[in-house]
Amino acid sequence: MNKKLKISQSAASVITAFVGVVILMVVFSIMNPNFIKGDSVMSLLRSIVPFLLVGIGQAYVCITGNIDLSIGSVLGMSAMISATLMCKGSSPIVAVLVAFICCMAIGFVNGVLVGKFKLPPFIGTLGTMTIGRGIAQLANNNYNTDNIGSEGAAQVFKDLFYYGKTLGLFNGVWIALIVWAIFFYILTFTRSGRHIYAIGSNVDAARLSGVDVFMTTTKAYMVSSFCAFLTGIITMAQSGMGSMDAGMSYEMYAVAAAVIGGVSTLGGTGLLVGVIAGAAVWAILQSGLTFAHVPVAYRNIIIGIIVVVCVLFDVLRRTGKIKAKKS
């Protein structure tokens, strides 16, 4: 009964998130009819991509009952390392591979700190967040990189990860959808996915049931780092250069996409379908408030309030302050 109740609560959160997407689209369309025109919709889809990718990674970690504050710094590392190497003459394949190895190393370290040594995830990933940002700054000696170029392999790289289209959709959108589909399958239909939910629900019970808590936690953090790495590559392809500030505030974006989509910050519940809606809500708010000429300061206040309310509602529901109806 408890498991069924959790599933029904997660499904209700997902439905609520998608209803929110529809409401926001209608409201901003009324405020500005250009909001739903063809080019604007395509731009909106591309703006959802980074929020969706980091939201997937954060969702994996949150379902285990942890959090990843290093996700923005890993994104910045990915962009700076790959762009620096490409500017120094390395092929895009080599540059992306080196960035991938460095980013996955951060994910593994997070898993060791939290899963093996039992560091509070806030402290452990706060430390790797700072380390990752330092590496991003040192990659090009505390300077943003030059433009990676617009010819040959560099242009192929940018088209592959951002500007190119396949079947009418930008490649970045396809990449995000494929990544989501893969991790949705893993989380929903595999033993690894069941273990992730198990340790988020009750880590001691999961351990007694034979779940390798350390390996499962590490896998979740490495998924998060992979999503951040890929977001950094897409971000770099979009700008054509590496920026030391890439990924700033993406910790909040990732948490927002996951939580608005119904993933519990207390662990054990949440559906990856909801992250699509959570990322869409976040992107629509950003784009819609920009269309409405709302100042940046007010935009930040509005979005911050929404995130806090979503997390507060989840905590109150999970602690019994808000009673859920039994099916």
Side-chain angles (χ1 to χ4, degrees):
M1 179 66 73
N2 187 44
K3 184 177 180 181
K4 291 181 179 179
L5 182 59
K6 285 185 177 181
I7 293 174
S8 66
Q9 289 174 346
S10 297
S13 298
V14 171
I15 293 171
T16 301
F18 277 105
V19 169
V21 171
V22 174
I23 292 173
L24 287 174
M25 289 293 290
V26 171
V27 169
F28 287 125
S29 298
I30 293 173
M31 294 174 65
N32 189 333
N34 291 327
F35 187 71
I36 56 171
K37 288 190 175 179
D39 291 341
S40 297
V41 172
M42 291 300 290
S43 297
L44 179 62
L45 286 176
R46 281 205 290 186
S47 69
I48 292 173
V49 169
F51 300 138
L52 175 57
L53 287 173
V54 296
I56 292 168
Q58 194 68 265
Y60 259 70
V61 175
C62 284
I63 291 172
T64 66
N66 297 304
I67 195 167
D68 186 2
L69 298 182
S70 69
I71 203 164
S73 296
V74 173
L75 190 162
M77 277 178 54
S78 173
M80 281 299 297
I81 291 172
S82 56
T84 299
L85 290 174
M86 289 177 68
C87 287
K88 293 183 181 297
S90 296
S91 72
I93 294 175
V94 172
V96 169
L97 182 59
V98 172
F100 170 77
I101 293 171
C102 293
C103 292
M104 296 308 288
I106 293 290
F108 180 75
V109 170
N110 283 336
V112 171
L113 293 175
V114 177
K116 185 72 172 177
F117 294 105
K118 314 302 180 189
L119 257 67
F122 186 90
I123 301 300
T125 61
L126 183 65
T128 53
M129 177 187 78
T130 307
I131 292 170
R133 185 58 61 186
I135 294 172
Q137 293 165 341
L138 290 174
N140 196 43
N141 296 319
N142 285 302
Y143 289 100
N144 295 334
T145 71
D146 296 327
N147 196 291
I148 62 173
S150 57
E151 297 180 355
Q155 187 58 47
V156 172
F157 168 82
K158 291 196 285 187
D159 288 341
L160 176 62
F161 285 100
Y162 191 77
Y163 291 102
K165 282 187 177 182
T166 302
L167 300 177
L169 282 179
F170 286 104
N171 289 340
V173 177
W174 282 116
I175 291 171
L177 290 175
I178 291 170
V179 170
W180 177 87
I182 292 171
F183 287 126
F184 170 79
Y185 176 82
I186 293 172
L187 191 62
T188 308
F189 299 108
T190 69
R191 184 170 62 178
S192 293
R194 292 192 293 272
H195 288 178
I196 286 172
Y197 280 106
I199 67 173
S201 296
N202 189 320
V203 65
D204 293 326
R207 185 180 290 108
L208 292 173
S209 300
V211 175
D212 190 331
V213 174
F214 164 57
M215 285 304 301
T216 302
T217 302
T218 301
K219 286 177 184 177
Y221 273 112
M222 293 186 77
V223 167
S224 180
S225 287
F226 172 77
C227 291
F229 149 76
L230 197 52
T231 309
I233 295 298
I234 292 173
T235 301
M236 196 271 280
Q238 175 187 4
S239 63
M241 61 175 287
S243 170
M244 292 187 296
D245 293 332
M248 286 290 190
S249 299
Y250 266 72
E251 301 82 13
M252 181 177 67
Y253 300 161
V255 171
V259 170
I260 292 173
V263 176
S264 174
T265 54
L266 300 179
T269 59
L271 301 174
L272 217 56
V273 174
V275 179
I276 296 178
V281 166
W282 191 252
I284 291 169
L285 278 171
Q286 293 273 31
S287 181
L289 292 173
T290 300
F291 261 91
H293 305 293
V294 176
V296 175
Y298 290 110
R299 271 185 269 163
N300 291 336
I301 291 172
I302 292 170
I303 294 172
I305 289 173
I306 291 173
V307 174
V308 171
V309 168
C310 288
V311 174
L312 179 61
F313 180 79
D314 173 59
V315 171
L316 292 176
R317 186 181 63 188
R318 291 288 298 271
T319 54
K321 301 292 180 60
I322 297 177
K323 298 293 183 182
K325 292 182 179 179
K326 292 185 178 180
S327 58

